[in-house]
Amino acid sequence: MVFVRCFTPQVHPIECCGHGLLAVAHIWLRRLQRDLLILSMHQSTVHCWRSDGLTWLRFRRESVVAATVPAWTAAVFPQQPQPVAAATCGGERGYLVLQWPDDYDLGDLSPPGRGLTQWSQRAVICTAAQPASGNAAITLRYFAPQYGVPEDAATGSAVRVLADYWSHRFNTLSAVQCSPEGGLLMTRLAPDHVEVGGYCIPTGEVANDA
């Protein structure tokens, strides 16, 4: 078992950092030459492994509940098409999923910035299906200025939530994150868990005594 802690740029602890776990899994699986490893982050125990060049994480499924699209989205995303559906996950400091029409380019959204904090303490996951790009293709963006993350580059924890959100249409996802840096993650859904996978590209080697 490997214990993991991740922090925002403001050094606030992150309860579940999917892409942080993915990077740690990639490094330790390769370094220890193991087929399977267990990661521990706060209250989460996550199994990880490598398959066909991808690193995979296994999370328990989250409860995602359909909700009414908040009226304040028009103020947060002005002069843009508005979401057509919404859902919540977790408590008041959990996630709010906002769904845009199919094939909408989420890259056109302007980040809400600190203005979001006056309306909600939830991290906002924006998503849209992209049938023109293939079956089970979706896009997402993730905004959490309340927690020092104006926009995240790649968000495994958000993709874990979206696996359940889109389960009425897709059992697997190919999720492109439309952040300036960009990211690509895949999901596979099972009755009691969701698997999140992605390619990890090392930018340097960890020192042997790290």
Side-chain angles (χ1 to χ4, degrees), residues 126-160:
C126 302
T127 188
Q130 303 293 329
S133 297
N135 184 43
I138 69 160
T139 50
L140 74 144
R141 293 179 73 177
Y142 177 90
F143 305 110
Q146 311 94 319
Y147 309 110
V149 185
E151 179 169 7
D152 201 6
T155 318
S157 58
V159 174
R160 172 194 57 170

Side-chain angles (χ1 to χ4, degrees), residues 79-154:
Q79 301 177 339
Q80 294 166 334
Q82 292 300 296
V84 296
T88 59
C89 179
E92 291 302 315
R93 298 173 70 86
Y95 301 94
L96 171 67
V97 179
L98 297 175
Q99 178 190 340
W100 266 258
D102 285 6
D103 288 319
Y104 178 67
D105 184 359
L106 291 178
D108 290 340
L109 292 179
S110 298
R114 294 292 299 175
L116 177 62
T117 61
Q118 67 177 300
W119 302 106
S120 177
Q121 289 304 302
R122 296 180 183 273
V124 173
I125 306 170
C126 302
T127 188
Q130 303 293 329
S133 297
N135 184 43
I138 69 160
T139 50
L140 74 144
R141 293 179 73 177
Y142 177 90
F143 305 110
Q146 311 94 319
Y147 309 110
V149 185
E151 179 169 7
D152 201 6

